[in-house]
Amino acid sequence: MAALAYAAPHFWWGAGIGATFPGDFASAPHGTWEAAVGYWVMGAVAVAGGVVALALVRPWGQRLPRRTLCALSLTASVGMTLWGFTYFALQYLLAAGRVVSAPAFAAKDAHPQAAWGLFWYSLFVLWGLMLGVAAWNRLSSKRTH
């Protein structure tokens, strides 16, 4: 569900709908390869990640190589969790005055829509942790049988 919650907005952003966009949607790239990768490809990657996550807990996933599936899932888990925590560390450093936004990003960081970043990066942390637990359970369940 988390993968679909992440994928859906990427698809509607790609379609030109700015709802829940973490920043100024009007100044974001549209109609470029950056938009195609940022919206459509990332949405497709999220859907594929959802399928991989389901493979960890559904019976049809038993047909896939356990160690490969778990290694990919644990790697993705660490990456997503660190990506989310890094955002919160940066927000702390900005709030504490330890770092300053680059001029190119100052307007984006001050935009009211930037608050959506708290939601999206929380989702990265949550999804990363859930994926790691699912992969670990799949890996350890085979050891006990």
Side-chain angles (χ1 to χ4, degrees), residues 1-18:
M1 292 307 296
L4 295 179
Y6 181 75
H10 282 77
F11 294 137
W12 72 59
W13 296 336
I17 300 167

Side-chain angles (χ1 to χ4, degrees), residues 10-140:
H10 282 77
F11 294 137
W12 72 59
W13 296 336
I17 300 167
T20 74
F21 190 79
D24 184 12
F25 187 71
S27 68
H30 300 286
T32 64
W33 67 271
E34 292 173 272
V37 170
Y39 304 141
W40 299 105
V41 173
M42 289 308 297
V45 167
V47 170
V51 171
V52 169
L54 282 174
L56 292 168
V57 296
R58 304 304 299 170
W60 54 266
Q62 299 289 333
R63 290 183 244 151
L64 301 172
R66 178 177 55 92
R67 289 180 190 251
T68 302
L69 183 61
C70 290
L72 291 172
S73 298
L74 288 170
T75 302
S77 169
V78 168
M80 287 186 294
T81 304
L82 288 176
W83 182 255
F85 278 130
T86 301
Y87 173 81
F88 290 106
L90 179 60
Q91 292 305 309
Y92 167 76
L93 292 172
L94 284 167
R98 304 286 288 174
V99 296
V100 178
S101 289
F105 295 105
K108 179 184 172 194
D109 291 340
H111 195 279
Q113 284 287 96
W116 276 104
L118 298 172
F119 171 77
W120 293 118
Y121 286 94
S122 294
L123 185 62
F124 270 104
V125 173
L126 180 64
W127 190 24
L129 294 174
M130 289 186 319
L131 184 60
V133 168
W136 186 258
N137 283 339
R138 170 74 187 271
L139 192 59
S140 62

